[in-house]
Amino acid sequence: MPNSWSWVQFSDIHLGSPRSFRFQPKFNEQFDFAVEQIANSDQEPDFIIVSGDMCRDGDTHLFELEAAYDRLQQLPWPVYCLPGNHDIGGRFHEKNHARVNLDAIGRYRQVFGDDYYTFEHKGVRFICLDSMIFGTGFDAEKEQWQWIDEQAKDAHIPTMVFMHTLPFTNSPGSMPCTFEENFSAWYGNIPEEDQLRLAAFLKSINLLAISTGHIHVFQDRVVDGIRHVQCPSTAFLGNPEYLKEVNSVLGFLHWDMDDAHANVSLRQLEKESALEGYGPGGNIPVPERDYSAAWER
Ligand SMILES: [Fe+2]
Ligand SMILES: [Fe+2]
């Protein structure tokens, strides 16, 4: 296909430094393996997008953000990132001790730059959103909504939208997801009212797809006329107790644009790291059910 071009989407790479309290050298090595896999393929991407959770403990430590950023800058391709809960904190709720906060957003912006932005490449518009600030009531949330509304004026341009958490589970606004009563749904999604508002925006533009991470699975589906793709993690699998009817594998996504169509294919990780160890220096055994560390915070 002479006129096609491509990009790669990573998500939830969860890079850490040996100073991190949940450092797992395995995750860093698996990211290296994924990069090798791209370099050895005959499909050179124009750029890389990472849809959040670049870090393990970036919401806590500036040096974690810096370590992940430095690793990503070493790649031979341009890289675009957006924040996940492990980068700026999880969904806002007073009982969530690891909730998104202004200090963490400030640290993220200091290292990675804007947490929401747009760019164009070969006639396609890419919109990267900060899904963690939905429901916070911060000025930044209002500013982002105002900015999203402004993007609607260029409705005709073929557009890809990326963010970290789910835009909806079953269909926009259809599933109650409160912190107390349905924690998994609460953890995975943006607030119901934002699901509806975002869906209205997505339907108003020439949307190719919205693609997200956070759940650590692969899925490509159309809901309510909206194409929603989920990008898997290179680090660890999603919680199998929560996940049904999705493809839970380690890997990343290869996207190619052919005329005005965005094709996606799953690239499963060809090898897993055998590195062991956890915690500062990677010196303690990996706790059982390690994925819970992400799902229970
Ligand atoms: Fe993650
Ligand atoms: Fe996440």
Side-chain angles (χ1 to χ4, degrees):
M1 282 177 283
N3 292 322
S4 74
W5 54 274
S6 66
W7 74 90
V8 160
Q9 182 183 2
F10 281 116
S11 204
D12 303 83
I13 56 179
H14 288 289
L15 302 179
S17 81
R19 295 162 73 191
S20 157
F21 66 98
R22 289 183 299 169
F23 175 53
Q24 262 180 274
K26 179 186 171 104
F27 299 167
N28 288 20
E29 190 172 59
Q30 283 177 182
F31 178 68
D32 296 342
F33 289 165
V35 171
E36 252 175 61
Q37 212 170 304
I38 299 168
N40 292 336
S41 80
D42 54 5
Q43 295 167 304
E44 181 86 6
D46 285 12
F47 56 85
I48 305 284
I49 284 186
V50 191
S51 47
D53 282 1
M54 284 74 75
C55 299
R56 195 74 167 106
D57 297 310
D59 55 329
T60 319
H61 298 298
L62 179 70
F63 59 77
E64 290 296 300
L65 293 165
E66 289 171 338
Y69 181 81
D70 289 347
R71 175 66 186 97
L72 289 164
Q73 290 307 302
Q74 289 165 16
L75 298 181
W77 311 285
V79 181
Y80 298 93
C81 297
L82 58 87
N85 50 309
H86 285 258
D87 310 312
I88 60 170
R91 263 191 74 175
F92 192 84
H93 191 286
E94 58 188 18
K95 290 185 186 164
N96 179 10
H97 69 277
R99 62 184 175 270
V100 60
N101 60 83
L102 291 172
D103 288 345
I105 294 171
R107 287 193 296 270
Y108 179 90
R109 288 177 174 173
Q110 185 187 328
V111 177
F112 280 89
D114 290 339
D115 49 336
Y116 59 90
Y117 55 93
T118 183
F119 65 95
E120 265 192 60
H121 188 82
K122 297 181 179 171
V124 175
R125 174 172 61 162
F126 292 79
I127 293 180
C128 295
L129 298 178
D130 179 349
S131 63
M132 307 319 304
I133 57 174
F134 290 125
T136 59
F138 297 160
D139 285 348
E141 182 190 13
K142 291 181 209 89
E143 286 158 13
Q144 178 172 247
W145 268 124
Q146 199 176 358
W147 182 86
I148 290 171
D149 290 343
E150 284 165 17
Q151 306 312 305
K153 70 180 184 308
D154 296 318
H156 63 285
I157 305 173
T159 302
M160 288 290 311
V161 176
F162 295 88
M163 63 182 200
H164 186 60
T165 43
L166 295 174
F168 45 77
T169 296
N170 297 333
S171 63
S174 69
M175 189 172 177
C177 42
T178 59
F179 183 86
E180 276 87 6
E181 286 158 50
N182 194 348
F183 181 82
S184 290
W186 177 85
Y187 183 87
N189 284 272
I190 60 173
E192 291 99 304
E193 60 272 23
D194 295 298
Q195 294 177 24
L196 291 166
R197 188 169 173 184
L198 185 65
F201 166 71
L202 297 174
K203 288 178 192 175
S204 76
I205 60 172
N206 183 2
L207 183 74
L208 300 170
I210 177 168
S211 187
T212 56
H214 192 49
I215 311 295
H216 295 212
V217 296
F218 171 62
Q219 191 177 39
D220 184 3
R221 61 180 180 162
V222 177
V223 177
D224 217 1
I226 298 166
R227 183 179 178 202
H228 174 223
V229 175
Q230 295 197 53
C231 180
S233 163
T234 52
F236 61 102
L237 298 175
N239 183 344
E241 290 169 19
Y242 173 63
L243 304 168
K244 294 181 182 67
E245 298 165 14
V246 288
N247 199 348
S248 193
V249 291
L250 294 177
F252 56 92
L253 300 180
H254 177 92
W255 289 86
D256 68 76
M257 283 300 303
D258 181 16
D259 294 326
H261 192 72
N263 307 298
V264 68
S265 40
L266 172 66
R267 294 283 185 268
Q268 210 167 332
L269 218 57
E270 286 167 359
K271 51 182 179 178
E272 280 187 42
S273 168
L275 289 178
E276 295 178 351
Y278 188 90
N283 289 328
I284 60 172
V286 179
E288 241 179 275
R289 283 171 53 94
D290 175 65
Y291 53 79
S292 66
W295 285 84
E296 288 173 4
R297 51 178 297 192

